[in-house]
Amino acid sequence: SAAGTSPGRLVETDANYNIINEFPAVTDIAGTLNVVEEPFNPHGLTVDWNKNIILTSDFVVPVTILKPSLGIQHDNTLRLWNLASRTIISTITIPNVCFPTIIHETLLTLPQGGGIQDVKFIPGNNESAALATAVALGQVWIIYPFRYDSSGNQGVAELLYDLGPTAENVIAI
């Protein structure tokens, strides 16, 4: 992304780390519109080669962790991709929470995502389920990429485990 803002990109390299392509590709209008609607900063990545899907997790808008900043902006989305075409199938959202933030000496409660630091498919799971860590929330979510939500969108997130208040805002969970 330009200067650490959103949207970021998923980058494919060759064996020598030369960039082959960036996704969503500039010719992918639907994918580009998808990542403009909500912050897109892929951090975690997992691939199910047999089911032809990729899951990426959006963690944080990079520029917001630098000083000066108005505060860290965590993301709350995962992207489900078609592996063969490298196109986004859908966006899966972990529910927002409100965090107290001080801006210009004023205490505000701003909605933010939990920062989805990583996502990994569960080996051998018959639904290709994956685990995702929402670090600001201190929670572990299970992602079902082949289930559909009530709006007909592919990919469903369900809370698997809440680690409690001592795990909130702890980066490594």
Side-chain angles (χ1 to χ4, degrees):
S1 64
T5 60
S6 187
R9 289 283 188 249
L10 187 61
V11 176
E12 183 176 7
T13 65
D14 64 18
N16 295 318
Y17 303 104
N18 297 307
I19 294 175
I20 297 170
N21 212 333
E22 297 180 26
F23 303 100
V26 292
T27 56
D28 178 6
I29 304 298
T32 301
L33 289 174
N34 180 288
V35 301
V36 169
E37 289 175 4
E38 296 182 47
F40 175 67
N41 298 289
H43 190 269
L45 171 105
T46 190
V47 178
D48 186 328
W49 301 96
N50 295 323
K51 299 281 180 82
N52 192 41
I53 56 173
I54 302 171
L55 270 172
T56 58
S57 60
D58 298 320
F59 180 47
V60 67
V61 177
V63 74
T64 67
I65 62 172
L66 304 173
K67 301 290 184 199
S69 169
L70 294 178
I72 297 173
Q73 181 184 347
H74 291 102
D75 296 329
N76 67 327
T77 51
L78 298 108
R79 310 299 166 137
L80 177 61
W81 300 72
N82 176 293
L83 172 61
S85 65
R86 310 292 199 277
T87 55
I88 296 172
I89 297 169
S90 64
T91 298
I92 302 165
T93 303
I94 302 294
N96 277 338
V97 296
C98 292
F99 290 103
T101 303
I102 297 175
I103 298 177
H104 301 294
E105 299 180 11
T106 303
L107 179 63
L108 303 172
T109 304
L110 303 174
Q112 275 187 24
I116 314 304
Q117 189 175 42
D118 203 4
V119 61
K120 293 293 177 226
F121 285 115
I122 302 168
N125 184 278
N126 63 349
E127 288 191 79
S128 294
L131 296 178
T133 54
V135 296
L137 303 175
Q139 298 172 336
V140 179
W141 288 73
I142 190 162
I143 312 301
Y144 295 100
F146 293 106
R147 292 185 186 179
Y148 289 81
D149 67 16
S150 60
S151 299
N153 299 312
Q154 186 175 344
V156 173
E158 294 179 2
L159 179 63
L160 179 66
Y161 193 76
D162 190 321
L163 298 166
T166 58
E168 292 174 6
N169 296 308
V170 176
I171 296 300
I173 63 168

